[in-house]
Amino acid sequence: MDGRQSTPEQPITRNSCTSNEQCGLDLKLGPLSEKKIDWGGFQQRPIDIIREDRYNPGKFYFNSRTTIMQWVPSQPVTVLVGNVTQEDINVGYRDGPSDTAEFTLISDFVQYNQTKMAISNFQNACVRLYDFETDIFSTIVGFCNAYGRGRIPYVSWARFDNTTEKHSLDPQFSGILSIYLLEKWNKLLIIDNGYKLIIQHDFATQKTRLLNIDLFTKSPRPIQVIADQQENNIFINHAYGLTRYNLHTKMITLLLGSIDETLQGNRAIQLIPGPFTTAQTGALDTLRWLQQDRVLVSMANRQNEALVMIDLEQEKVYSVCNGMCRVY
């Protein structure tokens, strides 16, 4: 897919694509290009998540280790929160003003109104709240640094049913992979790393409970979720496939891929584009809407190194490959 001739080990199929015309998605897709970021006086760090400000288009936030940086193209990067000189990403917890607040590895963040941002702290196993108006941090879900502060959850969420509730500030997580805001439901979905479950935090009741215990085996090792526009369904990226979960009926539907019965999600899966019935994606890093409620875009990791487009209407997976991506 990088311009070389096809070989028996790397044939090009009609289900792969490197342009909008080949994909047949009827979208105005331009060529991929590298975007230079002016780091100013900061050391360049890996970027895991980058999102546009929901209320100020053209402004972006991205996580970088124990910080969240803010960036406007053609301007230097600045720090929103966190300590750029912090060396140990697994140690650090303090609420309060942003210039003294401390974090462990920041795994995700969401804006849920114009003045507030929820930030998931992986090792601290909690969700922090940043108030832009007061410049103050607080904790909204979980008990930060529960292990270090001697408040270890005594039992896994996997032993509870769908009706069990906990107080939101109880110690209850092993480590948080990602979070997702359901605005119409007034809830925050939290994906736990060790328990491999999706927990929902209700802002109204300040209680948490499982989204559905059946997802433990039917959507094993979830990584990230995304909802459709009306928030009727969420799509769950897990090992090794994509599942749709209806928030009203509780119906769980595997759309593509397979179920990892070991619950580990550490096996290398070769990328195979094509119809949902035969497609394989392996591990996917993230989920975003390329076209709302129609086309999802993700990135295959490990040996595949490809952008992956998931067309929910045509029920096909397409790949835009570069580097090591192979298509069979």
Side-chain angles (χ1 to χ4, degrees):
M1 304 297 292
D2 55 1
R4 294 172 295 181
Q5 291 295 316
S6 175
T7 67
E9 292 76 28
Q10 191 178 18
I12 297 176
T13 76
R14 62 183 178 84
N15 292 317
S16 62
C17 60
T18 56
S19 70
N20 182 50
E21 290 74 17
Q22 287 177 310
C23 294
L25 295 175
D26 193 28
L27 296 174
K28 300 298 182 181
L29 299 178
L32 293 176
S33 60
E34 182 179 359
K35 192 70 175 179
K36 298 293 185 181
I37 295 179
D38 181 357
W39 286 84
F42 300 116
Q43 181 180 353
Q44 185 171 339
R45 300 282 192 181
I47 297 173
D48 295 315
I49 300 167
I50 184 166
R51 293 197 175 102
E52 189 170 20
D53 190 312
R54 294 180 61 190
Y55 309 100
N56 298 284
K59 183 177 183 178
F60 296 87
Y61 300 109
F62 61 84
N63 66 333
S64 182
R65 292 165 54 93
T66 58
T67 65
I68 294 179
M69 315 295 281
Q70 51 190 0
W71 173 61
V72 175
S74 77
Q75 296 182 21
V77 168
T78 58
V79 180
L80 177 67
V81 298
N83 179 5
V84 295
T85 64
Q86 183 175 331
E87 294 184 2
D88 190 342
I89 64 174
N90 297 309
V91 177
Y93 164 67
R94 183 186 294 133
D95 281 337
S98 64
D99 60 350
T100 60
E102 294 181 354
F103 309 86
T104 58
L105 182 67
I106 293 174
S107 55
D108 204 355
F109 57 90
V110 296
Q111 293 173 273
Y112 62 87
N113 61 36
Q114 295 190 42
T115 62
K116 292 180 173 61
M117 177 184 285
I119 301 172
S120 61
N121 231 176
F122 180 81
Q123 193 72 13
N124 276 331
C126 63
V127 180
R128 317 278 288 278
L129 174 68
Y130 179 57
D131 190 316
F132 287 82
E133 291 186 327
T134 64
D135 192 38
I136 294 293
F137 268 94
S138 58
T139 301
I140 55 173
V141 194
F143 188 87
C144 293
N145 194 21
Y147 288 84
R149 296 165 68 191
R151 292 286 303 280
I152 302 173
Y154 66 93
V155 66
S156 166
W157 271 108
R159 300 187 185 181
F160 293 120
D161 60 25
N162 294 331
T163 63
T164 302
E165 288 188 328
K166 296 185 180 185
H167 293 286
S168 289
L169 293 178
D170 284 348
Q172 53 193 290
F173 304 108
S174 69
I176 299 175
L177 281 177
S178 61
I179 55 179
Y180 188 83
L181 178 67
L182 292 173
E183 290 186 283
K184 292 181 172 60
W185 296 79
N186 198 28
K187 292 181 179 180
L188 188 71
L189 299 183
I190 302 165
I191 297 184
D192 187 277
N193 178 54
Y195 299 151
K196 306 177 182 69
L197 285 163
I198 303 174
I199 295 100
Q200 53 184 331
H201 161 71
D202 191 315
F203 285 98
T205 65
Q206 294 297 300
K207 297 288 183 66
T208 55
R209 66 178 182 177
L210 292 172
L211 181 62
N212 191 329
I213 188 59
D214 292 338
L215 292 171
F216 182 66
T217 54
K218 294 185 177 180
S219 294
R221 193 86 189 188
I223 300 172
Q224 201 165 58
V225 303
I226 194 169
D228 57 25
Q229 191 167 29
Q230 297 302 315
E231 293 186 358
N232 294 321
N233 302 281
I234 61 170
F235 298 86
I236 307 170
N237 166 20
H238 60 83
Y240 297 101
L242 179 72
T243 287
R244 182 179 61 226
Y245 178 71
N246 188 284
L247 294 166
H248 301 281
T249 67
K250 317 301 182 187
M251 182 177 292
I252 303 170
T253 306
L254 178 67
L255 297 179
L256 64 94
S258 60
I259 298 297
D260 177 19
E261 296 180 354
T262 70
L263 304 178
Q264 297 305 307
N266 55 11
R267 185 162 58 93
I269 301 290
Q270 187 66 56
L271 173 63
I272 302 178
F276 282 2
T277 53
T278 58
Q280 290 184 180
T281 61
L284 295 175
D285 280 333
T286 187
L287 284 178
R288 295 288 185 271
W289 287 114
L290 185 61
Q291 187 179 71
Q292 182 67 48
D293 292 354
R294 183 192 169 196
V295 181
L296 286 164
V297 64
S298 184
M299 186 170 67
N301 60 16
R302 300 186 183 179
Q303 83 276 17
N304 290 322
E305 296 183 358
L307 287 176
V308 176
M309 291 177 286
I310 302 169
D311 191 319
L312 299 174
E313 287 188 353
Q314 298 186 62
E315 296 189 348
K316 283 189 176 183
V317 174
Y318 298 90
S319 63
V320 177
C321 304
N322 192 17
M324 296 173 63
C325 177
R326 294 186 178 184
V327 189
Y328 293 93

